[in-house]
Amino acid sequence: MKNIAVFASGNGSNFQAIIDVVQTGELHANIALLVCDKPGAYAIERANRARISSFVFNPKDYQQKEEFEAEILLRLKQAEVDLIVLAGYMRLIGPTLLREFKGRIINIHPSLLPAFPGKDAIGQALEAKAKWTGVTIHYVDEGMDTGPIIVQERIRISEKETRESLQRKIQQIEHKLYPSILEMLLTRGEVTSDKATRTY
Ligand code: GRF
């Protein structure tokens, strides 16, 4: 069974969706570690409840990214982590982690990349009056939401769409899509090589 580490900064509803499918046996993985850069984030509570170890840190306690990433790297190695799963982790991954894990870090983003990268992708799509948006799962590289795309799922934005209704639709998709893609990557052993794109 492969070991995964989930990185989250906030609520952690995607983290919870992953915990749930591990517990039902639908996802054949061991969640070895939660990495969280926001002391007090609700994701930490979810880890505690599921008895998952967490490494929580405050970036302000470090001079630079390199230092906290070195500490994260140590924990990842101790836990023998195979794959890093970003789930609402609000920071760019730096060279320290990329050097060791490139091709083994994935992220979920609430838009059809390359459209609307970065913060508040849902707000950006509404602001732009886009007719479609969606969810992208992709490998992580040095850039902001720029790595090779693994899968995308589209959602039509209706005329009456509100931020709340769109967010609800996006999260519904995310909570199904992320676990199913993880299962595919982990059980087929194609974590480092699968670059397939599937668009609905
Ligand atoms: C998700 O919408 C994800 O796409 C984005 O951040 C959000 C995290 O939500 N990267 P949650 O913390 O999993 O509820």
Side-chain angles (χ1 to χ4, degrees):
M1 191 116 76
K2 300 270 189 194
N3 289 325
I4 65 173
V6 178
F7 286 32
S9 301
N11 176 28
S13 70
N14 280 281
F15 176 40
Q16 186 66 53
I18 295 166
I19 294 172
D20 292 346
V21 289
V22 166
Q23 287 177 347
T24 60
E26 287 159 89
L27 175 58
H28 298 85
N30 172 44
I31 309 173
L33 188 67
L34 168 74
V35 172
C36 180
D37 62 340
K38 287 261 159 51
Y42 191 56
I44 302 163
E45 168 97 25
R46 297 182 192 271
N48 291 341
R49 258 194 273 135
R51 298 182 190 284
I52 294 167
S53 316
S54 47
F55 173 55
V56 182
F57 66 99
N58 187 344
K60 290 191 187 128
D61 295 340
Y62 299 82
Q63 302 267 334
Q64 45 195 346
K65 180 177 288 202
E66 211 179 305
E67 285 173 29
F68 64 75
E69 285 205 341
E71 215 164 311
I72 295 173
L73 188 58
L74 196 70
R75 313 281 173 137
L76 295 172
K77 286 188 171 168
Q78 280 167 351
E80 298 183 4
V81 166
D82 300 294
L83 179 72
I84 297 175
V85 178
L86 305 187
Y89 183 67
M90 302 301 284
R91 321 190 146 262
L92 281 179
I93 299 294
T96 309
L97 287 177
L98 277 172
R99 228 178 355 256
E100 298 269 347
F101 277 91
K102 194 156 184 194
R104 296 191 294 143
I105 311 176
I106 63 173
N107 181 41
I108 190 160
H109 183 79
S111 78
L112 292 177
L113 292 171
F116 313 127
K119 284 195 181 144
D120 192 20
I122 296 174
Q124 290 185 54
L126 290 171
E127 182 76 13
K129 303 204 182 322
K131 291 215 159 56
W132 293 89
T133 189
V135 172
T136 302
I137 295 173
H138 64 96
Y139 289 102
V140 170
D141 64 12
E142 300 69 16
M144 172 85 82
D145 303 317
T146 50
I149 290 171
I150 301 167
V151 67
Q152 294 188 306
E153 189 162 330
R154 288 204 298 172
I155 302 167
R156 173 127 193 123
I157 302 180
S158 77
E159 304 222 323
K160 294 188 215 119
E161 207 74 69
T162 62
R163 170 181 277 273
E164 291 68 35
S165 66
L166 186 55
Q167 183 154 347
R168 203 162 41 241
K169 286 182 199 168
I170 284 189
Q171 292 237 305
Q172 263 169 13
I173 290 177
E174 289 186 339
H175 297 164
K176 289 211 155 61
L177 195 62
Y178 220 4
S180 72
I181 291 303
L182 277 170
E183 176 68 3
M184 184 188 87
L185 291 175
L186 292 170
T187 58
R188 286 198 203 158
E190 288 178 299
V191 169
T192 54
S193 62
D194 193 319
K195 300 244 163 46
T197 302
R198 199 160 35 118
T199 308
Y200 296 88

